[in-house]
Amino acid sequence: MFHHPVPRDARVYIAGHGGLVGSALWRYFESVGFTNLVGRRSKELDLRDRESVRAFFDEVKPEYVIDAAAKVGGIFANSTYPAEFLSDNLRIQTNLLDAASEFGVTRFLFLGSSCIYPKFAPQPIREDSLLTGPLEETNDAYAIAKISGVMQVQAIRRQYGRSFISAMPTNLYGPGDNFEIPGAHVMPMVMRRMHEARDEKSFTIYGTGTPRREFLHTDDLARACLVLLERYDDPAPINIGVGEDVTIDELVQMIADVVGYEGEFTHDTSKPDGTPRKVLDVSRIKALGWEPTVELRDGIRGVYEWFLEHQATFRR
């Protein structure tokens, strides 16, 4: 088995360290003793600017890179701004991967998304389902960008022999999520809408409520990333998830229990459902010794507490 302990004083660049995933990575790596973490806000370094990224790598010379930087959003954002989701993500990941290869980064972990898999892939979704069928239409531009990142990792490995890898997380949630409406993912969107409708008699669920989704807390993802840097070296992408899913209706009820909403639920079936089911086969990462630890109900409770503390910062 591949074994590469990452020195705790190594210079680790977490691209996108201010976001949902990046901030979780930063918290976790600090908590386990990493002393030389590097991060840049977007106003300090525009990752879409190729020469700025090269200059940054030339100056800082990171030894390890985790790419958690991306333009992300829910169904509404993906289907409304497909050109930006494709262009921005392609430029971000291409610039980072090219610079990492050019400046001799030891290990690079590219974080993609489970949306790279076909809309009707067999469930649970194995990594070899990639490129075996058509994508979900509402986020195909974002998915194509992430697929390109997987391909670039593989190409760099073949051509230059770099020890770069890619991982595909399932739907993520945690403190620091985006609660802006429109644009948020399903969990923070439902949570904010329900919080603001606590005293109303009826709450509308977008879509049929029947699609099934898997949710992974970002704290668990962060632990998985260190495991992969130290124990995984393969050109194939590897899934990160919990291996279990819930319906959107079940998720809404969990959120209602936490928020304290006691009204009725209706469905607006004019809104898109997206992929009918998406749960990952996580046998490969579990074989490396990683297991998720945050129960979904506990995670939802923690995210709601974070939202209550920060709700004044979100646009209304």
Side-chain angles (χ1 to χ4, degrees):
M1 180 182 292
F2 178 78
H3 184 59
H4 177 90
V6 180
R8 289 330 192 230
D9 62 350
R11 192 175 299 108
V12 180
Y13 170 43
I14 300 176
H17 78 291
L20 171 65
V21 173
S23 59
L25 285 164
W26 194 282
R27 289 193 305 271
Y28 176 68
F29 274 61
E30 274 194 334
S31 74
V32 295
F34 281 86
T35 59
N36 201 1
L37 299 179
V38 179
R40 294 289 186 275
R41 297 283 183 178
S42 57
K43 63 182 179 182
E44 300 172 297
L45 175 62
D46 184 352
L47 295 176
R48 298 169 300 179
D49 186 319
R50 187 172 184 81
E51 290 309 312
S52 295
V53 173
R54 286 190 71 257
F56 166 76
F57 273 75
D58 189 27
E59 174 191 356
V60 175
K61 294 180 174 56
E63 300 165 87
Y64 296 82
V65 176
I66 305 175
D67 180 10
K71 181 179 180 65
V72 298
I75 286 181
F76 175 84
N78 273 276
S79 57
T80 305
Y81 306 107
E84 286 86 345
F85 273 83
L86 181 62
S87 178
D88 286 357
N89 284 301
L90 281 173
R91 285 184 287 166
I92 289 168
Q93 65 203 33
T94 299
N95 292 342
L96 287 169
L97 280 162
D98 283 350
S101 180
E102 178 182 354
F103 290 97
V105 166
T106 302
R107 298 274 283 154
F108 188 110
L109 171 55
F110 170 71
L111 293 177
S113 168
S114 58
C115 72
I116 67 168
Y117 295 118
K119 180 175 183 176
F120 298 109
Q123 306 287 324
I125 305 173
R126 291 162 43 99
E127 289 88 349
D128 57 12
S129 292
L130 182 61
L131 299 177
T132 60
L135 301 167
E136 159 58 36
E137 299 86 350
T138 57
N139 62 5
D140 54 2
Y142 179 74
I144 287 292
K146 290 300 183 179
I147 292 171
S148 297
V150 174
M151 298 296 106
Q152 189 178 359
V153 166
Q154 295 175 342
I156 288 173
R157 290 179 65 99
R158 286 201 308 270
Q159 186 168 344
Y160 301 112
R162 300 291 186 196
S163 185
F164 292 5
I165 56 176
S166 61
M168 303 302 115
T170 191
N171 300 288
L172 299 170
Y173 73 102
D177 212 335
N178 172 27
F179 285 83
E180 302 288 357
I181 299 175
H185 286 109
V186 59
M187 185 185 295
M189 179 182 65
V190 170
M191 188 175 289
R192 179 174 177 181
R193 289 181 54 233
M194 192 174 291
H195 172 80
E196 295 176 351
R198 288 191 311 281
D199 298 327
E200 297 181 10
K201 295 181 179 179
S202 178
F203 180 86
T204 302
I205 300 170
Y206 295 162
T208 64
T210 59
R212 303 188 67 88
R213 293 292 182 268
E214 174 185 23
F215 294 94
L216 177 70
H217 197 283
T218 51
D219 287 351
D220 280 333
L221 172 66
R223 292 190 305 103
C225 287
L226 183 55
V227 169
L228 294 177
L229 285 174
E230 297 190 327
R231 304 180 196 173
Y232 185 73
D233 189 33
D234 193 283
I238 186 167
N239 291 338
I240 310 176
V242 297
E244 300 175 358
D245 57 0
V246 296
T247 67
I248 296 300
D249 277 350
E250 289 170 337
L251 174 70
V252 170
Q253 185 59 61
M254 289 184 191
I255 295 173
D257 292 343
V258 170
V259 172
Y261 180 76
E262 298 179 348
E264 298 180 348
F265 297 111
T266 61
H267 294 88
D268 180 355
T269 56
S270 70
K271 297 289 195 299
D273 271 342
T275 301
R277 189 184 185 201
K278 190 170 64 171
V279 61
L280 297 181
D281 182 321
V282 291
S283 56
R284 292 176 70 219
I285 191 168
K286 286 188 173 183
L288 298 178
W290 173 88
E291 292 276 353
T293 61
V294 181
E295 294 291 337
L296 182 55
R297 288 183 184 274
D298 294 337
I300 291 173
R301 189 175 298 107
V303 171
Y304 185 56
E305 290 171 357
W306 184 91
F307 168 74
L308 292 176
E309 294 174 6
H310 295 85
Q311 60 178 309
T313 65
F314 296 107
R315 293 194 302 268
R316 304 189 73 82

